[in-house]
Amino acid sequence: MSLKGGDGGSWNPCCPCRGSDGKYESDHETYTIRTKSDDEPTRTPHVGQAQLPYDADSLRRAAFWVVVIGAVFMCIVLVMEATNASNPVELPDFTGPVGWIAVLGALFLFGSVGLMFKEPADEYGKKPDAVLFQAFNALGIFLVGVPLMIFECRSSGKDVESVVDFSWFDWLGLLGAVDIIIVSFWAHLSTQLIGYAMAPAVLNGVGMITSFLWGKIFFSEPIRNMVGALFSLFLLVLGVMLLGATQMANMAAAKREGRVGGHQTQTSSMVTAAAAAAGFGAGVMSGVFDGALMVPYKLHERRLAGPAGLSPKHTLAYLASFSVGSLLTTPVLIAVAAARESKDELGSDWKGTFSRKLRRSAVPGGVTGVVWAMGNFLSVHASKHLGMSVGFPLVQTGILVAAVWGVFFFQDLNLSRLHVLLLFLAALGSLMAGAACLAQMG
């Protein structure tokens, strides 16, 4: 049994007066006796918790519309691709609308993919479990990836079995699926620590540098212009450093105003500085793994490509392996989370707690996977129709979309301070210029 106070006060058992409705009344409070079920968690007060400028409902509405808008972009591209199948165009095609529509959809989705990373704590003070979040993220990727692959096969007038060479079903696709989950894990942590205006930009900047190094050093890809490539890397590194300077300037200005991270104590400002450093470290880690995302595919290509390059059968076989790998990742992550929960809650009813964590993580994790899979599909079509040198840097402008979310929806940065605004714009501009130069001269 538990006694609940209307305003959070304590019950004085010496002078209660019970009414006919089961409520106890005193001079100051009205209390209701209620029975707590065995599996209901105890509510704990959140002393000192910062007031967020958004709530769970508004965030989920925003994520819903992101999914709807992404689905509209995908449908338009699929319909246009089906039309082009009967009337082929020479690629790259800069005059046709398909590539440009795919770019718009991809940059919007990639700029919005981490919205659910910012899911606020519920009424019990619990956020989605990090491991279970990634389990449902992987499931979301599978649920979008496989139907899209089947649809594209059938839209070409062929059965899946006749298009996908399943004899070449490759474990490298599974490795790629694991890699994207690792990227998402670090990005999730980074976003929670340094905010959505900063974390995606750090990921993109480090990811482009890492991807370039993999291609040139490990795969011996030719460099078109050494000076231009080095200048591109310089711009990318400068952009990441400017992001760090932006975060430090924002924190210093907030500290001078007496508020850091929603608190007003000196200790909390030091904790915030440590959190910012950890957040940037997590962002760098997510970028390192993001830059390696295409490594399994390149290994797959190196092993199976013929004189004319990789056949469509082998490409689709890799995508099939990637999607199935995402599906297989889900039960593994759930098992890991269950084992950890049973160990942490030894001797108690851990299954009830674990069930609540599953439900808590399902929607935000699943939505993240769905949005990423749709963005990935559109980015592939953007590069297909516009070429890598145009499609790739345009898709990177998704960091501008993330910045809009971070500044205006999540209010992670206060850009009313001129020096913070200038640093942030310089960081984004440096990253964008670096991406464009790298695509042209790398």
Side-chain angles (χ1 to χ4, degrees), residues 18 48 77 207 256 276 323 401:
R18 181 176 183 177
V77 169
R256 285 195 300 270
S323 297
V401 177

Side-chain angles (χ1 to χ4, degrees), residues 342-362:
S342 63
K343 182 179 179 180
D344 293 344
E345 302 290 337
L346 190 63
S348 63
D349 182 20
W350 67 270
K351 292 182 180 180
T353 303
F354 183 69
S355 177
R356 285 191 299 275
K357 288 186 176 181
L358 274 174
R359 294 192 300 268
R360 182 76 180 90
S361 305

Side-chain angles (χ1 to χ4, degrees), residues 312-368:
K313 284 187 177 183
H314 294 150
T315 299
L316 287 172
Y318 177 83
L319 295 176
S321 302
F322 183 92
S323 297
V324 173
S326 298
L327 178 64
L328 295 177
T329 303
T330 300
V332 172
L333 290 174
I334 291 177
V336 169
R340 180 198 60 194
E341 190 69 29
S342 63
K343 182 179 179 180
D344 293 344
E345 302 290 337
L346 190 63
S348 63
D349 182 20
W350 67 270
K351 292 182 180 180
T353 303
F354 183 69
S355 177
R356 285 191 299 275
K357 288 186 176 181
L358 274 174
R359 294 192 300 268
R360 182 76 180 90
S361 305
V363 171
V367 168
T368 300

Side-chain angles (χ1 to χ4, degrees), residues 52-262:
L52 297 175
Y54 64 95
D55 56 24
D57 289 338
S58 62
L59 179 60
R60 294 195 178 199
R61 281 195 298 270
F64 169 79
W65 285 111
V66 167
V67 172
V68 170
I69 293 171
V72 170
F73 273 110
M74 282 180 46
C75 290
I76 293 173
V77 169
L78 287 170
V79 170
M80 288 186 170
E81 286 280 34
T83 303
N84 289 341
S86 59
N87 185 23
V89 296
E90 185 178 351
L91 299 177
D93 176 27
F94 298 105
T95 59
V98 181
W100 301 107
I101 293 174
V103 161
L104 287 175
L107 68 89
F108 172 73
L109 289 168
F110 280 148
S112 308
V113 69
L115 289 185
M116 300 307 290
F117 290 164
K118 298 279 286 183
E119 176 89 352
D122 61 14
E123 57 187 350
Y124 303 110
K126 302 296 184 181
K127 288 188 175 183
D129 181 87
V131 176
L132 293 176
F133 186 104
Q134 301 308 328
F136 288 104
N137 179 19
L139 182 61
I141 292 173
F142 169 80
L143 292 176
V144 173
V146 168
L148 278 176
M149 186 185 70
I150 294 174
F151 180 86
E152 291 213 84
C153 291
R154 296 196 178 260
S155 66
S156 63
K158 301 177 181 179
D159 294 329
V160 177
E161 292 80 3
S162 66
V163 177
V164 180
D165 187 355
F166 285 101
S167 63
W168 293 105
F169 198 80
D170 201 338
W171 66 269
L172 289 169
L174 309 184
L175 185 60
V178 172
D179 183 87
I180 191 59
I181 296 304
I182 296 174
V183 172
S184 181
F185 175 84
W186 287 112
H188 186 187
L189 177 61
S190 178
T191 300
Q192 291 189 336
L193 292 174
I194 61 175
Y196 199 60
M198 307 287 290
V202 175
L203 185 158
N204 276 32
V206 176
M208 285 185 280
I209 295 170
T210 308
S211 179
F212 176 83
L213 295 177
W214 271 107
K216 304 308 179 185
I217 297 175
F218 187 81
F219 293 104
S220 302
E221 295 176 349
I223 298 177
R224 285 170 285 179
N225 185 316
M226 177 61 74
V227 175
L230 292 176
F231 181 66
S232 302
L233 294 178
F234 166 75
L235 289 175
L236 293 173
V237 172
L238 177 62
V240 175
M241 293 177 64
L242 286 171
L243 287 173
T246 303
Q247 183 72 7
M248 292 174 62
N250 187 63
M251 289 170 52
K255 185 177 180 180
R256 285 195 300 270
E257 295 170 6
R259 296 190 64 83
V260 179

Side-chain angles (χ1 to χ4, degrees), residues 224-225 228-229 232 388-393 433-442:
R224 285 170 285 179
N225 185 316
S232 302
M388 281 295 295
S389 62
V390 176
F392 173 77
C437 290
L438 194 63
Q440 295 294 330
M441 293 180 280

Side-chain angles (χ1 to χ4, degrees), residues 111-112 196-201 243 397-413 415 424-425 428:
S112 308
Y196 199 60
M198 307 287 290
L243 287 173
T397 57
I399 61 176
L400 299 179
V401 177
V404 170
W405 282 113
V407 171
F408 296 104
F409 186 82
F410 296 118
Q411 299 181 24
D412 291 328
L413 285 177
L415 297 185
F424 188 56
L425 292 179
L428 294 181

